[in-house]
Amino acid sequence: MDLKALKKQESKRKISKGYMWALFCAVFWGIWYLPGTVVWVLNPFDEMYGVIAETNGDAVSLVVTAVLITAFNALTVMLALMVWNGVLQKFGELGRTLKEFNPCSKWFFLASIFGGPVAILGSFMAMGFIGGAFAAVAALLYPVIGSVLAYYWYGEKITKRAAIGIVVIILGGITIFGGGLITELGAGEVPWIGYLGGLMAAAGWGIEGAIAGKGLDIAEPDVGLTLRFVGENIIWWILIVPILAIVGFPMYSFAIQAFEPLTLLVLIFAGITFGFCYVCWYKSFPLIGVGRGQGIGNLYGLCAIIFIFLFFGDVPQWTILLGGALCVAGSFIMFTEEAGELETLRGE
Amino acid sequence: MGNRPLKFRILELFLDEKEHWNYEIVSKIMEEYGMKGDYHRDSINFDIIELASGGMLKDVEQKVDEEGIYKKGFLLHKYVITDFGKVRGSDACLRYV
């Protein structure tokens, strides 16, 4: 084989690998909404919600319970990633990267602030108050923020085609989001705190992707995202959970009760699916760029709807189906991009 | 024994602003960090690919690996650091050699 053909083949392989990672991310991410929804009806979280709601009202109770669920989610994700790094023999690199706090770890800790307390907490709030399908599709808007930030911040190129794809995906997201909202407005009761959660998810993940891209270009993705979850665990277990306990919420008594087989199983399931969705997400960025990685990863919205339908039997509204179709179409507009345009992702 | 993150060290090796072949960098890193085997070889090469697609290294020359210096029948790449790479390198407190 001659040089030119080999070059073309190699570039193609790199790009298809990047898209493959992004697609795996979508599947794992979609599955995550199953344990994420189920965990709300399991003890101790079910009981905790009831107890706090009696004294502090539904809204406060929802947020505080979501905090504990998100903290456990972060813990199981971190454990899953530690196993992953062990398999890849990357503990040495983990230590080396952690020591370089100033140049690169700080980006992961910053990413964990937007990913954890903003995006993941928001998702659990949306799941608890409105439902898994809504939580999934609400966050579909995050690539707007991610791509725009990546463009202005470190000059990542967004080709015309990629931009069209992103716009179509967003239209799909709006259709799904708007459909539910209109029905609820008609019924006269809008669970606004759930919608706030949905917005937090979209904004948080968009910002996280752009920040992580900045740390990611000088660190290994497997190591980088593990550090990101170490950061999130510090934020939850060392800062927020103790503060809530001091304020008077029964955080620890319910946290201890989480150690029962069924609850643990669901939490571990959440940790594994979410951990690997992140592995795939971060791996796709250096190969196809933050904007595209996030765009294809967006297929998770559709995956989540399918999984929720299969496991819970919830039949989606027509707006959800139409929006889902738009998301697929948008992702394929990006997918069929000419390989040549992707050779360098940044302007010189 | 190397003590900096792999990608930092790789960038550092490129800060001499000379062109380097990927197999030279890979074998140097493996030696410095005491790594052995195809898995680590491919893993380090993937780090170089990531640095290149991130715009910090530029792929300037390719040749087919006919003798199997690295991987027979595959492409060998020669890279040079970009201005963006130098900026990121100095962000990461790398010293100019």
Side-chain angles (χ1 to χ4, degrees), chain A residues 28-327:
Chain A
F28 280 121
W29 195 347
I31 295 176
W32 176 68
Y33 287 91
L34 297 178
T37 306
V38 167
V39 80
W40 280 94
V41 297
L42 291 178
N43 272 324
F45 304 112
D46 187 33
E47 203 187 313
M48 180 181 180
Y49 178 70
V51 168
I52 300 175
E54 270 174 32
T55 51
N56 298 77
D58 283 351
V60 173
S61 175
L62 179 99
V63 176
V64 173
T65 309
V67 164
L68 194 61
I69 293 175
T70 315
F72 270 107
N73 181 71
L75 194 64
T76 52
V77 171
M78 190 178 74
L79 292 177
L81 291 178
M82 287 294 179
V83 173
W84 173 249
N85 273 282
V87 172
L88 295 180
Q89 306 166 46
K90 282 189 175 168
F91 277 124
E93 181 70 7
L94 196 65
R96 288 191 287 267
T97 308
L98 190 61
K99 269 186 252 161
E100 302 287 341
F101 183 81
N102 187 37
C104 85
S105 293
K106 72 172 176 195
W107 294 112
F108 295 116
F109 284 100
L110 206 57
S112 65
I113 291 172
F114 287 102
V118 181
I120 303 179
L121 179 69
S123 294
F124 277 115
M125 280 161 58
M127 277 186 260
F129 235 59
I130 305 182
F134 167 75
V137 296
L140 279 172
L141 296 166
Y142 77 89
V144 200
I145 297 159
S147 302
V148 170
L149 276 180
Y151 176 76
Y152 281 108
W153 196 0
Y154 41 91
E156 181 158 350
K157 280 183 202 161
I158 301 172
T159 59
K160 219 182 228 170
R161 212 185 162 92
I164 295 168
I166 288 171
V167 167
V168 174
I169 290 173
I170 290 162
L171 284 178
I174 292 171
T175 310
I176 305 170
F177 191 96
L181 194 61
I182 288 163
T183 316
E184 269 150 10
L185 280 172
E189 211 173 299
V190 181
W192 289 112
I193 198 156
Y195 283 105
L196 173 71
L199 282 179
M200 281 164 67
W205 269 319
I207 299 168
E208 172 179 16
I211 294 174
K214 198 152 168 77
L216 201 63
D217 51 15
I218 45 168
E220 291 209 325
D222 304 298
V223 163
L225 77 106
T226 305
L227 289 179
R228 175 231 171 283
F229 274 97
V230 169
E232 193 179 326
N233 274 284
I234 292 172
I235 291 169
W236 290 122
W237 294 105
I238 298 184
L239 280 174
I240 299 178
V241 171
I243 287 172
L244 286 175
I246 290 167
V247 174
F249 292 107
M251 303 306 279
Y252 294 117
S253 59
F254 283 110
I256 289 163
Q257 287 173 46
F259 291 91
E260 59 168 274
L262 186 62
T263 307
L264 269 190
L265 192 73
V266 171
L267 285 170
I268 288 168
F269 188 46
I272 291 171
T273 53
F274 206 66
F276 287 108
C277 115
Y278 260 90
V279 165
C280 300
W281 207 36
Y282 275 55
K283 277 215 191 275
S284 76
F285 291 164
L287 292 170
I288 52 175
V290 175
R292 287 180 207 86
Q294 289 186 341
I296 296 294
N298 245 6
L299 284 172
Y300 83 86
L302 196 63
C303 295
I305 289 167
I306 292 169
F307 292 131
I308 286 168
F309 172 68
L310 288 178
F311 284 85
F312 303 147
D314 293 341
V315 183
Q317 290 176 286
W318 70 269
T319 46
I320 286 182
L321 294 176
L322 175 68
L326 281 172
C327 291

Side-chain angles (χ1 to χ4, degrees), chain A residues 10 100 214 220 286 346, chain B residues 4 7 47 53-54 77 88:
Chain A
E10 202 188 71
E100 302 287 341
K214 198 152 168 77
E220 291 209 325
R346 291 211 177 89
Chain B
R4 303 211 73 188
K7 283 189 177 175
D47 286 338
S53 63
H77 294 264
R88 293 299 280 135

